Amino acid sequence: MEGLILFAVSISTLGAIYAMLCLSLNLESGNGPLWDLGIVSFFGIGAYTYTLLTADPALEQQSFLLGLGLPMWIGAIGAAAGGGIAAWLIGLPTLRLKREYFLIATLAFAEIIRQLFANENWLTNGVAGIYGLRQPFKSYFDAADYSYVLLALTLCGLAFTWYVTRRIIASPFGRACKALRENEPLAITAGIDPQKTSIRLFMISGALSGFAGMFYVWYNTLIIPGQFVADLTFFIWAALIIGGIGNQRGALVGGFIFIFLHDSLRFLQVSGEMAVAFTSLRTALIGLALILILRFRPEGIFAERPVRFDLPALKREARDA
């Protein structure tokens, strides 16, 4: 029973990390006009930035840049800044492209970043990665209880991401992003600059994805390029589609549902032959869930709610002002 509880805590922690990425993707692709296939690149940049800033200097058998041993909060700022700056750099040339070409460009950028992580040994220790990374506040708790502490920290990060994305969506900037999504020519006539609005949105989403990368480092205590493959982007998209694109609750719930479907079979004790079959079955479960959602509820579990304005009340407020 204790093992089942620890397993549930572990997948809940991972589900919270996925939910952060879903909220970030929903901000730019659900509320905004940007369909992004490179979110894993900002996730990885944030994770590596945090690691290089907070890790101890490289040992003899390792080789990576920096290793400054800085405090956790500086690493958190650096992770978000790294993701945001990377989004700004890739957004400048690519946001002028049409949607399908922007998708291809972001996917290519994500693969370039992964190859950079894998091949630049002086920067990231290559495919061997960086390991033995510290988890925050671990010295203050028993090792057996730390998984609960990590879950609490990750849920705090999720709550922060939820708050930020919700405030942005409700702000005039968020409404401008939604206007561009719905009808760009009409939004331009209303005075919205699509290039400036899109680059700001892309940078915010990249910063939130980089921030989530910090929690992924805490969860794994190591970082390797193989953790940031393109499959992760498609996993996040699948989670968002299951939950409901354009809906905050859908993005939140979708991350947890995806992880439950993907990882729940790992707890079962089976033979080596059956383990291979169960690995394929995990992917099949995700595919089945997507088929059922698209067939019976194409807008996701939580469909996007249209925004309704009380025009008489707005007119009264305008007269009173």
Side-chain angles (χ1 to χ4, degrees):
M1 185 62 182
E2 183 180 354
L4 180 61
I5 293 174
L6 289 175
F7 179 73
V9 170
S10 177
I11 64 172
S12 296
T13 304
L14 188 58
I17 296 171
Y18 271 58
M20 289 185 214
L21 290 173
C22 285
L23 289 169
S24 174
L25 182 61
N26 184 63
L27 179 65
E28 61 174 335
S29 302
N31 183 75
L34 307 178
W35 284 52
D36 180 10
L37 287 181
I39 191 170
V40 68
S41 61
F42 310 125
F43 185 54
I45 288 170
Y48 269 102
T49 301
Y50 173 82
T51 299
L52 296 177
L53 290 175
T54 61
D56 294 326
L59 302 175
E60 292 183 0
Q61 66 272 22
Q62 291 183 311
S63 175
F64 55 84
L65 189 66
L66 300 180
L68 301 178
L70 295 174
M72 176 189 69
W73 64 272
I74 296 180
I77 296 173
I85 292 171
W88 176 67
L89 291 174
I90 187 61
L92 286 176
T94 60
L95 284 173
R96 301 178 184 275
L97 303 174
K98 294 183 179 180
R99 175 175 292 184
E100 56 270 23
Y101 300 110
F102 178 72
L103 281 170
I104 296 170
T106 54
L107 180 62
F109 174 72
E111 184 59 22
I112 290 171
I113 291 297
R114 189 184 70 82
Q115 292 295 333
L116 183 69
F117 292 155
N119 293 296
E120 299 300 323
N121 292 332
W122 63 273
L123 179 63
T124 63
N125 203 39
V127 294
I130 306 171
Y131 43 86
L133 301 175
R134 297 190 306 270
Q135 294 175 304
F137 312 121
K138 191 170 185 178
S139 59
Y140 298 101
F141 300 92
D142 294 333
D145 298 329
Y146 186 75
S147 57
Y148 302 99
V149 177
L150 183 58
L151 174 60
L153 291 172
T154 308
L155 290 176
C156 288
L158 176 58
F160 173 77
T161 305
W162 167 276
Y163 175 79
V164 170
T165 53
R166 187 174 180 85
R167 290 298 299 269
I168 291 173
I169 290 173
S171 69
F173 171 73
R175 293 194 293 272
C177 293
K178 185 170 287 188
L180 287 173
R181 184 198 71 178
E182 295 294 336
N183 192 324
E184 183 173 324
L186 186 60
I188 293 173
T189 62
I192 298 172
D193 188 328
Q195 181 69 15
K196 291 182 179 179
T197 303
S198 295
I199 195 70
R200 285 177 59 193
L201 179 64
F202 199 42
M203 289 179 64
I204 293 170
S205 180
L208 292 174
S209 301
F211 177 70
M214 175 183 68
F215 294 90
Y216 202 54
V217 173
W218 294 352
Y219 179 78
N220 290 297
T221 68
L222 59 86
I223 184 169
I224 58 174
Q227 294 171 331
F228 306 104
V229 294
D231 288 355
L232 184 57
T233 292
F234 296 106
F235 287 166
I236 300 303
W237 267 105
L240 185 57
I241 292 170
I242 291 172
I245 188 168
N247 189 299
Q248 281 279 98
R249 289 185 298 168
L252 181 69
V253 172
F256 286 98
I257 292 177
F258 178 88
I259 287 299
F260 176 77
L261 292 174
H262 190 260
D263 288 8
S264 58
L265 296 179
R266 289 186 178 184
F267 190 75
L268 300 179
Q269 300 294 323
V270 296
S271 63
E273 294 80 6
M274 287 297 295
V276 177
F278 270 54
T279 301
S280 301
L281 185 60
R282 290 162 51 196
T283 306
L285 278 176
I286 300 298
L288 178 61
L290 279 174
I291 291 172
L292 293 175
I293 287 291
L294 294 174
R295 172 62 181 84
F296 296 105
R297 198 166 178 82
E299 294 181 345
I301 296 174
F302 295 97
E304 181 181 6
R305 294 181 177 179
V307 179
R308 293 182 173 87
F309 296 98
D310 187 350
L311 293 180
L314 292 175
K315 290 179 179 178
R316 286 193 300 271
E317 291 178 3
R319 285 198 302 268
D320 294 340

